[in-house]
Amino acid sequence: MRLRWLRSFAVLLVPALWLVGCSSSPGTKVTVHIETAQGGRAFPLAVAYRIADGEWDWLPPDKDAGYSFYVPTGKKRYGVAVRCPELRMMGPAPVWVFELALDDTTDPVVVCQEGGLASPWVSVTAQVDVGSVAGAMGYEVITRTGRRPRGNTSGTQRLSFHPEPDQDVILLAYSTATISQFEPDKLLAGRVFRGISPTDGLTLNLSLSGADAVGTAQVEALPLPAGWSGNYAVGLATRGGSEIHLGDLGGGSQAGGPYKTVSGPIAGDYYTFRAGGYLSTPSRIDLTLSDRRWLDTGSAADLTADFIEPYPDDYAPDTGGERVRFSLGYPGEADVYGFYAAVPGGKPIKVWVSRAWLGDASAYAMPDLTGVIGFGDVNTKATDYIGWEACAYRSSLSLNELLALPTEDLVPTVNPGAPLELRSACAGNS
């Protein structure tokens, strides 16, 4: 009788144990999204990750060429490192590293300028006419894929688009036939043509009149510390993805000056504003301040820059240990810190570290990735470094919202879809 009871108990126990094992969670899933600057999918050369302060490990792609891992239950902090393909003429692109917490985001986006899929193209004909704008001598057509300046007032243009719906085209008229960047004083009129779904054979009729004349607003003198120099620039990012580059609507020195406004803005269009200041100290430390904003076009008005506290002019990393180590001695409050290091013949590295990851730490040591597949030349030894930079960032968006966008130096490379203020202070060696 006792043996029969034990056998019955064992039969019941085995499925119960199986259910317990199946219900155990591997933790919280983190998915690393590798994208181009335009938000398309990109494919890196190598990806690594770590949990909390643990060792870095190679992260292989899954069957769909995606990258994800689990942060175990009871842990909150993790790091990701991405090495991108590069065809750049300006030197090697850094390895990008993010040290974050689950409360920051579980879906960080990392930009690889190269390594994206080739997109199909659609050719569209545009009939352009700005002859009704008084004083016009040239025009410029701007799409997501580029800008086409022309030294006449009318003509036929062949424009290339990616075949996506609800795009737009910007047409600008100038008082010069020789159009170059940063000539807002010669900009006469502008208009955004919206809701374009490009298909082969489509013809667009793009024209401007006196009703499309640009307006003018003012950037006030930049409130920089004594001895600093600075400048400002203004552009436009449309809801449909086209962009008037920074400086093409206005730009100038720290004394401030005018910028041009475009008629007919709608929700989702943003004026882009950048103000910056810089100072080189006698000890060859470069200090910079930046105020970046995406402003609702419906409330375009005079602008006043707002900078955060600068780094002290004697700031420098600690090179007395094995790795370059940055103190968190920034005098103001920061949502994120950024650190950069470079050595001769090695791959440069740039790291962003959130306040949640840092906790009560007073310094951050650059990571050692040399033992991970694909990262062997990422040297952060203190004895070898030649270049460094430390930055503090403050944003009006949550870190979760900001890291959901493709960014470079935390600056969105696409329309952020919401008003945004992003300010930074940096210190680096000359």
Side-chain angles (χ1 to χ4, degrees):
M1 179 66 70
R2 178 179 176 83
L3 181 60
R4 183 183 301 170
W5 180 85
L6 288 172
R7 287 174 178 170
S8 299
F9 178 74
V11 169
L12 293 172
L13 181 62
V14 168
L17 290 174
W18 181 83
L19 287 172
V20 170
C22 287
S23 66
S24 62
S25 170
T28 301
K29 187 176 183 179
V30 173
T31 301
V32 186
H33 303 270
I34 319 294
E35 298 184 0
T36 66
Q38 293 73 40
R41 192 173 185 187
F43 299 88
L45 295 178
V47 179
Y49 79 105
R50 72 170 173 172
I51 305 301
D53 299 303
E55 296 294 320
W56 289 89
D57 289 317
W58 177 58
L59 182 62
D62 61 25
K63 62 182 180 62
D64 298 315
Y67 293 87
S68 60
F69 59 93
Y70 286 88
V71 177
T73 301
K75 301 286 187 179
K76 294 287 187 181
R77 299 157 63 240
Y78 66 89
V80 296
V82 175
R83 181 167 193 161
C84 298
E86 57 185 74
L87 297 173
R88 299 188 176 191
M89 304 300 293
M90 301 299 291
V95 166
W96 311 118
V97 177
F98 288 83
E99 301 267 45
L100 304 169
L102 295 178
D103 290 341
D104 295 323
T105 183
T106 57
D107 290 274
V109 174
V110 181
V111 165
C112 283
Q113 286 281 9
E114 309 295 341
L117 294 172
S119 299
W121 293 89
V122 171
S123 183
V124 170
T125 300
Q127 302 290 347
V128 183
D129 187 353
V130 300
S132 295
V133 177
M137 297 180 64
Y139 67 85
E140 183 175 40
V141 180
I142 301 172
T143 68
R144 285 186 189 178
T145 58
R147 55 199 296 265
R148 287 173 173 264
R150 291 293 183 268
N152 46 46
T153 59
S154 65
T156 300
Q157 296 293 318
R158 299 291 290 178
L159 305 178
S160 296
F161 291 83
H162 297 307
E164 301 169 2
D166 199 24
Q167 298 186 54
D168 52 38
V169 174
I170 303 171
L171 178 60
L172 303 175
Y174 285 86
S175 62
T176 176
T178 306
I179 301 168
S180 60
Q181 286 184 285
F182 317 126
E183 290 191 308
D185 57 318
K186 299 176 182 177
L187 177 60
L188 300 174
R191 180 180 168 191
V192 183
F193 297 82
R194 306 178 189 277
I196 297 168
S197 296
T199 57
D200 282 318
L202 177 67
T203 297
L204 301 175
N205 293 304
L206 310 176
S207 63
L208 297 178
S209 68
D212 299 308
V214 295
T216 302
Q218 186 77 13
V219 174
E220 304 297 338
L222 306 186
L224 291 167
W228 286 59
S229 300
N231 53 54
Y232 76 93
V234 181
L236 176 73
T238 69
R239 186 176 71 179
S242 296
E243 180 180 3
I244 300 176
H245 292 300
L246 281 164
D248 286 356
L249 287 183
S253 71
Q254 68 193 84
Y259 75 95
K260 299 295 180 64
T261 60
V262 178
S263 61
I266 64 172
D269 293 344
Y270 296 97
Y271 285 109
T272 53
F273 172 65
R274 182 191 67 204
Y278 50 91
L279 174 71
S280 292
T281 71
S283 56
R284 297 183 61 82
I285 301 299
D286 293 331
L287 303 180
T288 60
L289 292 170
S290 175
D291 179 6
R292 295 291 299 261
R293 297 188 220 170
W294 286 254
L295 301 149
D296 192 321
T297 53
S299 58
D302 293 348
L303 300 175
T304 301
D306 183 12
F307 299 110
I308 60 176
E309 298 88 338
Y311 268 84
D313 58 12
D314 59 350
Y315 182 90
D318 178 5
T319 58
E322 182 180 3
R323 303 283 159 189
V324 179
R325 186 177 182 87
F326 291 92
S327 76
L328 307 181
Y330 173 66
E333 294 184 2
D335 299 324
V336 184
Y337 287 94
F339 304 113
Y340 169 87
V343 300
K347 185 74 172 173
I349 181 172
K350 192 152 193 178
V351 182
W352 288 272
V353 192
S354 75
R355 290 297 321 180
W357 192 95
L358 288 164
D360 296 328
S362 60
Y364 177 80
M366 294 297 270
D368 181 7
L369 291 160
T370 54
V372 183
I373 296 172
F375 296 91
D377 59 346
V378 184
N379 180 1
T380 56
K381 288 184 178 180
T383 54
D384 296 337
Y385 93 101
I386 57 169
W388 63 270
E389 185 180 57
C391 294
Y393 297 86
R394 195 181 301 165
S395 172
S396 63
L397 293 182
S398 71
L399 196 54
N400 191 348
E401 293 170 314
L402 192 59
L403 293 181
L405 300 166
T407 65
E408 286 195 319
D409 288 338
L410 291 189
V411 177
T413 56
V414 298
N415 187 322
L420 169 61
E421 298 179 0
L422 178 65
R423 297 181 175 92
S424 64
C426 299
N429 64 343
S430 301

